[in-house]
Amino acid sequence: MLLVCPWDLGSQVTSPPITEEDARTRLAEKGITEEELRDRLTKKGWDVDNLDPKRLGEFQQVLIQTVEELEREKSPQTAKPPSAVPAAKQEPVLVRDTVRIPEDTIIEKRVPQVIYGHHLFKDRDLKVFRQADDIKPSDSYILGSGDVLLIQIYGPAQLQSTYTIDNLGYIEVKSGLPRIALKGLTLGEAKRLLRERLHRFYTYNDDQFSVAIQTTRNITVNFFGEVETTGGITLPAVNTLFNALAAAGGPSEIGSVRNIKLISGVSERIFDLYKFMNDPRIAESFYLQDNDYVHIPVAERIVSIRGSIRRPYKYELADGENLLKLIEFAGGANADAYLKDVQITRYTGDERIVASVNLRDLSAAKGDYILYHGDEIVVSSLEEEVTQYVEIKGAVIKTGKFEYTEGMRVADLLDRSTLLNEARRDFGYILRYNQNGTYSYIRFVPGEALRNRGSGENILLLSRDIVEIPSQKSYADKTFIAIDGSVRNPGRFRFEPGEEMKLQDVLLVAGGLLPSAAEFGYIVRRKPEDPKKTEYLPFNAVQVALDASSPDNLPLQQMDSIYVFDKRSLEDDFTVRVSGAVRNPGLFAYSPGLTIERVLRLAGGFTFSAATNRVDISRTIIIENEPTRTTTYTAQVARDLNTIDAGSTFVLMPFDHIIVREVPEFELERTVYVAGEVKFPGVYSIINNNERISSFISRAGGLTEEAFPDGASLYRAKDSIGVVVINLQESLTKPSSQSDIILRQNDTLYIPKRQELVTISGAVNFRDVLNEEFIESGNKINVGYVQNKNAMYYVDKYAAGISESGRRRLISVRHANGRLEKTKTFGFVYAYPKVTPGATINVGSIAAKTEKALVEKEPVDWGNVIRDTIAQATAVLTLILLLERVN
């Protein structure tokens, strides 16, 4: 049932009338969802789907109050401005500056969105004990009716038995002995009481007596408030409150973790999830009793902390807890935290305000900083840049940063890093950092600085200088020669300028020619000074590979690309095609001398339907410089392809197409399925090509007494035809007629049971004569079949006639076999279709008039209607529902 709200929940409803969409829009403007409103009203004891009309006035007041509550909860909290007053003592130096940030500024949040403590239940860290023997209760466990105790006594007097605490709270250890009341005692108190009482009747030492709980009772705990699962939860009494919270899914996203109330009868206890996380032993103080209530209120003061902190999260603070306690909850600051400038962002008066707090001074003063709901605390990292270093890069054994000392020179740094053999000794440079943030380049000669430490090349270094020693390799051009084509290892090979290298050398480096290599290839030459100019130099690859003195063994230059052709790439790919009744039809490579027998073997041989006495060969006659023409041949081939005859030795030519025909009229068994009301339903083989419906019905033993021929249908899977409308009665009475359809492979013929009902639907007046429970979805009803009556008879008799939008000429009847009949008109005379069992009568309607036309024809003052009808009863149900219920 939809919940809707008025335009203004604090005032009377006025026109225009409220629609469901209007109500949702108004709720959305207030930031409230329909589900939230329903849930809150349900918790207040109101069933919005079953309102008593007499209580509508009372309900309206509750509704308005509930919406106002939700609206207040969702509106931003009005926070007080940042306070520079510590909780313990005033220290005016705590806040260094306060700045205002525009409302549209985005402040990055890197803390989880749930309150710290909620994760215990979302991550399922708390276990729920489903059986009493999962854990043994401690001495603080409170006994109750249904608990089973195991009492054991050793020594001269022996006893080992179990006792169940009865509904009155007693156990009876032995017939004739007084009963002992245990209900409401802790397990520890029960042990002491039983040891004292049984000492009167048994002889034993204290170490010869034991009491344990063998089975705990089941209890029901009721949860309400901001909890994931409200209502009663049944679980063994061995569970503590924290285990029960886990079973209920824990607090909701806005549920408190610091102020959870446990209500047992008239007593009430508050427990704190943060205390449990610091000391889980307190769980033993919160065992539950049957019918205890647990209430979780909304968390009141939530703050978040992020940055250089060990546990960035959202936290709920209790009274008296502020910044220092928050730091403690968050696990303390990281080692690199900058505590002299902790930023606190606060929302107040539609603005964000940022305050800076010196946490070190605050702690030294034994003060604190007051936090408010919604505060965001950021602890920055200490990123102190190291400045006393020098760095060396390039062609040295050890690169990186080195400690800077006063008076340090280039040679000192080169001694510690050691030049590589490839290092340039005639050139290096120093990258020097300037105070304005820029760098300067200072050139020097590394070799001279090492040889003559008193020379000007041994430059005095400053802190943060970067020394670069170039490598000789970085000044050498890297050139390659490429080879591709019919060689074993194509690729690129280094070619040093000035090196003498010939074509045969590259062929050998590339692994030599492949057996399929052609005799010729090309060198594609591009000159570095003119890369757009290209030369093509042909060579005989075979001669070059065999004879280094061949004139084709050309000297190479940088950037040459060599390509050796392959014989296979210079020849056409000749194929023959095999199709028809073979196992693997397709294209096969042609080779001279290929016969039909060989290519048919490649195609997997004949299928069992193949006609081996009729194998056709289609051949394209190709004569150079003349148009092609096609001719055909026919051969006879042995089925096993082993017998050598004239057909199997027929020599093929390129592009021949071998077609293996199937045996004429070859077909496997074809079947149809006859289902429904025949005497022998099932699968039947087609025994001739033109077997009809009547034949299959006869072979199936004929129709049963319950058969309904008029509803018979035929489904044809072939060619995706689907359902076929048939006239089974005519098929049986007039065999071989047009109605007696020929059945095909996989057809399904279905004859249903006799039907005695007729369906009426469409634009009729059902509701004038029938209760709502008789009318199905789609505005239709089912009635009994009356023999030899037309459609209008049923509409008048059972449906109270045609509605205002309906038309007689639009009455139609769809029979059970799918055939559709429409009403025929002759001037003012109507010929209505006859109705058969199982048929559906539909009364069509004309298009409805537009809303505008209806308003102009009959204006309605909806404001008066609403005020006169429901007055103060708006807001939760749709207007239509309220009108119906008030009426």
Side-chain angles (χ1 to χ4, degrees):
M1 187 62 62
L2 175 67
L3 236 81
V4 301
C5 293
W7 305 103
D8 183 353
L9 290 172
S11 62
Q12 190 174 358
V13 179
T14 60
S15 59
I18 301 168
T19 66
E20 296 179 0
E21 191 60 34
D22 292 334
R24 289 193 179 96
T25 301
R26 296 302 183 188
L27 281 176
E29 290 174 354
K30 297 176 180 294
I32 303 171
T33 66
E34 181 184 338
E35 289 72 19
E36 290 174 328
L37 183 57
R38 275 180 164 276
D39 183 62
R40 185 61 60 87
L41 290 170
T42 301
K43 290 176 180 178
K44 291 184 176 183
W46 288 90
D47 185 354
V48 296
D49 292 324
N50 296 285
L51 279 177
D52 184 355
K54 297 179 181 179
R55 300 185 67 191
L56 290 176
E58 177 188 355
F59 176 72
Q60 182 194 8
Q61 299 302 320
V62 175
L63 175 67
I64 293 173
Q65 293 172 2
T66 303
V67 173
E68 290 175 349
E69 289 174 7
L70 292 172
E71 195 172 7
R72 283 197 302 271
E73 292 173 8
K74 290 179 175 291
S75 63
Q77 297 290 332
T78 302
K80 297 180 181 179
S83 173
V85 181
K89 57 187 293 186
Q90 294 191 8
E91 295 289 342
V93 299
L94 296 185
V95 179
R96 293 212 313 255
D97 61 341
T98 300
V99 296
R100 294 188 181 276
I101 300 175
E103 182 62 26
D104 58 354
T105 300
I106 298 177
I107 296 181
E108 180 184 9
K109 294 180 174 61
R110 297 180 181 175
V111 297
Q113 295 305 305
V114 296
I115 301 170
Y116 181 67
H118 285 178
H119 65 284
L120 292 180
F121 308 101
K122 311 305 178 190
D123 300 338
R124 300 297 181 185
D125 289 341
L126 286 175
K127 183 178 179 182
V128 180
F129 302 112
R130 301 300 179 186
Q131 298 178 358
D133 55 358
D134 285 346
I135 187 173
K136 297 302 180 184
S138 66
D139 283 352
S140 60
Y141 173 78
I142 301 175
L143 297 174
S145 299
D147 285 338
V148 179
L149 301 181
L150 173 63
I151 301 177
Q152 294 176 307
I153 299 177
Y154 308 98
Q158 293 188 355
L159 174 68
Q160 181 172 348
S161 185
T162 58
Y163 304 93
T164 301
I165 300 177
D166 61 23
N167 292 334
L168 299 177
Y170 293 90
I171 65 169
E172 185 176 353
V173 177
K174 187 175 181 181
S175 179
L177 297 182
R179 294 183 303 168
I180 303 174
L182 298 179
K183 183 178 179 180
L185 300 179
T186 65
L187 178 59
E189 293 170 340
K191 289 179 179 179
R192 290 189 291 273
L193 177 63
L194 289 170
R195 181 183 291 110
E196 177 186 340
R197 291 285 183 90
L198 295 182
H199 248 311
R200 304 173 186 176
F201 308 101
Y202 296 93
T203 301
Y204 55 85
N205 298 325
D206 286 347
D207 59 353
Q208 296 174 330
F209 175 84
S210 69
V211 177
I213 294 183
Q214 186 176 68
T215 303
T216 61
R217 68 194 184 279
N218 284 336
I219 59 174
T220 297
V221 182
N222 304 288
F223 286 86
F224 63 102
E226 294 300 330
V227 65
E228 291 294 338
T229 303
T230 58
I233 294 179
T234 300
L235 69 171
V238 71
N239 290 281
T240 66
L241 175 59
F242 296 97
N243 306 122
L245 279 170
S252 68
E253 290 185 359
I254 60 173
S256 174
V257 293
R258 309 292 307 279
N259 191 32
I260 303 174
K261 299 178 182 178
L262 174 61
I263 304 170
S264 298
V266 296
S267 66
E268 177 181 307
R269 287 191 293 163
I270 305 294
F271 61 86
D272 187 338
L273 192 58
Y274 288 3
K275 292 181 180 179
F276 164 74
M277 296 171 71
N278 289 329
D279 184 9
R281 291 175 299 178
I282 69 170
E284 296 179 0
S285 302
F286 292 100
Y287 279 110
L288 302 166
Q289 296 297 306
D290 194 30
N291 285 324
D292 275 358
Y293 284 84
V294 178
H295 175 249
I296 302 180
V298 175
E300 294 182 355
R301 192 156 59 113
I302 305 300
V303 298
S304 65
I305 185 168
R306 60 184 173 90
S308 187
I309 203 77
R310 292 180 179 175
R311 193 162 52 217
Y313 243 105
K314 284 187 175 181
Y315 291 87
E316 180 182 2
L317 299 182
D319 292 340
E321 295 176 347
N322 290 292
L323 181 58
L324 295 181
K325 194 65 177 180
L326 174 64
I327 299 292
E328 179 184 332
F329 285 151
N334 292 333
D336 63 346
Y338 186 63
L339 300 181
K340 292 183 179 180
D341 185 15
V342 175
Q343 291 189 345
I344 300 175
T345 301
R346 181 164 296 165
Y347 302 86
T348 178
D350 296 329
E351 292 182 316
R352 293 188 181 95
I353 297 178
V354 178
S356 297
V357 176
N358 188 325
L359 193 60
R360 294 193 183 279
D361 290 348
L362 186 67
S363 300
K366 299 187 182 301
D368 207 341
Y369 190 85
I370 299 174
L371 298 178
Y372 294 94
H373 179 70
D375 283 357
E376 298 175 2
I377 294 87
V378 178
V379 181
S380 302
S381 298
L382 183 63
E383 299 179 353
E384 187 174 336
E385 187 176 6
V386 179
T387 58
Q388 299 300 311
Y389 71 91
V390 289
E391 186 175 359
I392 188 167
K393 299 178 180 180
V396 294
I397 292 176
K398 182 174 177 57
T399 61
K401 293 180 179 179
F402 293 84
E403 180 185 3
Y404 171 75
T405 57
E406 195 72 29
M408 190 176 188
R409 293 183 177 271
V410 167
D412 300 327
L413 182 59
L414 294 177
D415 287 340
R416 298 173 67 179
S417 56
T418 309
L419 293 176
L420 293 172
N421 292 333
E422 65 196 44
R424 289 194 61 168
R425 286 165 169 76
D426 62 334
F427 169 65
Y429 60 88
I430 299 170
L431 195 62
R432 177 157 291 172
Y433 177 76
N434 300 318
Q435 293 300 322
N436 61 1
T438 62
Y439 284 89
S440 301
Y441 287 87
I442 304 173
R443 180 173 175 174
F444 72 100
V445 180
E448 183 63 24
L450 290 171
R451 283 192 302 270
N452 186 2
R453 297 179 182 256
S455 68
E457 299 299 327
N458 193 15
I459 298 173
L460 181 68
L461 296 177
L462 299 179
S463 178
R464 302 174 71 178
D465 277 355
I466 300 174
V467 178
E468 285 274 1
I469 305 297
S471 172
Q472 297 180 37
K473 293 180 179 179
S474 61
Y475 293 87
D477 292 330
K478 295 180 180 180
T479 57
F480 299 88
I481 289 178
I483 184 169
D484 199 1
S486 190
V487 293
R488 290 185 175 85
N489 301 308
R492 292 202 316 166
F493 302 94
R494 288 288 300 273
F495 180 83
E496 299 297 337
E499 182 180 357
E500 183 178 348
M501 194 172 192
K502 290 192 173 184
L503 185 55
Q504 189 188 63
D505 299 328
V506 177
L507 291 178
L508 293 173
V509 172
L513 299 177
L514 291 173
S516 59
E519 291 184 351
F520 62 91
Y522 277 95
I523 299 174
V524 181
R525 179 162 293 170
R526 297 180 180 87
K527 296 185 178 181
E529 63 273 15
D530 191 6
K532 292 186 178 181
K533 184 178 180 180
T534 304
E535 291 183 78
Y536 293 91
L537 307 177
F539 63 88
N540 188 313
V542 176
Q543 288 185 9
V544 171
L546 296 176
D547 185 6
S549 62
S550 169
D552 284 356
N553 190 17
L554 301 173
L556 300 177
Q557 299 178 10
Q558 60 181 352
M559 297 180 66
D560 278 355
S561 294
I562 303 161
Y563 187 81
V564 180
F565 286 91
D566 194 291
K567 294 177 182 178
R568 294 170 295 183
S569 66
L570 302 175
E571 298 175 354
D572 293 325
D573 290 331
F574 294 141
T575 60
V576 295
R577 179 187 297 273
V578 181
S579 62
V582 292
R583 294 187 178 90
N584 301 308
L587 288 174
F588 299 90
Y590 171 81
S591 64
L594 183 66
T595 64
I596 289 181
E597 177 265 343
R598 292 175 184 173
V599 77
L600 288 176
R601 284 184 181 277
L602 293 173
F606 296 114
T607 64
F608 54 82
S609 63
T612 61
N613 62 342
R614 175 69 185 273
V615 178
D616 293 338
I617 302 99
S618 177
R619 175 170 297 172
T620 300
I621 306 299
I622 302 173
I623 301 176
E624 189 172 359
N625 299 326
E626 291 186 11
T628 59
R629 58 188 179 89
T630 302
T631 186
T632 59
Y633 306 90
T634 299
Q636 181 172 342
V637 183
R639 181 172 292 276
D640 59 7
L641 299 177
N642 289 324
T643 303
I644 304 299
D645 56 23
S648 62
T649 56
F650 187 94
V651 178
L652 300 175
M653 298 296 290
F655 309 116
D656 278 359
H657 183 186
I658 297 93
I659 305 144
V660 181
R661 310 294 179 183
E662 290 191 340
V663 174
E665 299 184 11
F666 180 89
E667 285 185 313
L668 296 176
E669 179 192 23
R670 296 170 297 157
T671 60
V672 299
Y673 185 69
V674 182
E677 294 302 313
V678 292
K679 293 181 179 178
F680 303 102
V683 176
Y684 287 85
S685 299
I686 300 175
I687 57 179
N688 61 67
N689 289 333
N690 297 308
E691 191 168 5
R692 299 177 181 271
I693 291 176
S694 58
S695 174
F696 284 98
I697 295 295
S698 176
R699 291 169 59 189
L703 303 178
T704 67
E705 293 182 358
E706 291 294 318
F708 181 49
D710 289 342
S713 62
L714 172 65
Y715 180 80
R716 178 157 294 172
K718 185 178 180 181
D719 300 326
S720 302
I721 291 175
V723 179
V724 179
V725 177
I726 63 173
N727 188 334
L728 182 60
Q729 197 68 49
E730 188 173 334
S731 299
L732 298 178
T733 57
K734 298 179 181 180
S736 300
S737 65
Q738 290 183 346
S739 299
D740 197 12
I741 297 174
I742 297 173
L743 299 188
R744 303 298 183 192
Q745 166 76 356
N746 292 328
D747 278 359
T748 298
L749 180 62
Y750 175 71
I751 299 92
K753 285 183 178 292
R754 183 187 307 163
Q755 298 188 28
E756 302 294 340
L757 297 179
V758 173
T759 301
I760 306 173
S761 64
V764 292
N765 299 315
F766 289 140
R767 288 170 176 78
D768 291 347
V769 295
L770 293 174
N771 291 334
E772 199 67 36
E773 60 264 23
F774 292 101
I775 304 173
E776 299 182 12
S777 61
N779 198 40
K780 62 181 181 181
I781 62 170
N782 299 304
V783 300
Y785 169 71
V786 181
Q787 191 172 8
N788 295 326
K789 298 297 182 181
N790 62 25
M792 195 63 205
Y793 168 83
Y794 286 89
V795 171
D796 286 338
K797 182 174 178 63
Y798 298 106
I802 301 173
S803 67
E804 290 184 4
S805 62
R807 292 296 181 267
R808 293 173 179 269
R809 57 185 172 82
L810 299 179
I811 296 176
S812 62
V813 174
R814 185 173 295 278
H815 298 281
N817 64 353
R819 183 169 56 88
L820 179 67
E821 282 190 85
K822 297 182 178 180
T823 297
K824 298 178 181 179
T825 60
F826 305 93
F828 296 101
V829 178
Y830 296 90
Y832 303 105
K834 284 293 183 64
V835 178
T836 55
T840 297
I841 302 167
N842 182 69
V843 180
S845 61
I846 60 173
K849 293 183 180 180
T850 63
E851 183 179 354
K852 180 178 179 181
L854 292 174
V855 171
E856 291 176 353
K857 181 178 179 180
E858 190 177 352
V860 178
D861 187 349
W862 285 105
N864 290 334
V865 171
I866 296 170
R867 285 191 292 272
D868 295 342
T869 308
I870 60 174
Q872 304 294 323
T874 63
V876 172
L877 307 175
T878 62
L879 295 179
I880 294 175
L881 178 61
L882 281 176
L883 287 169
E884 288 178 355
R885 296 204 174 179
V886 172
N887 292 337

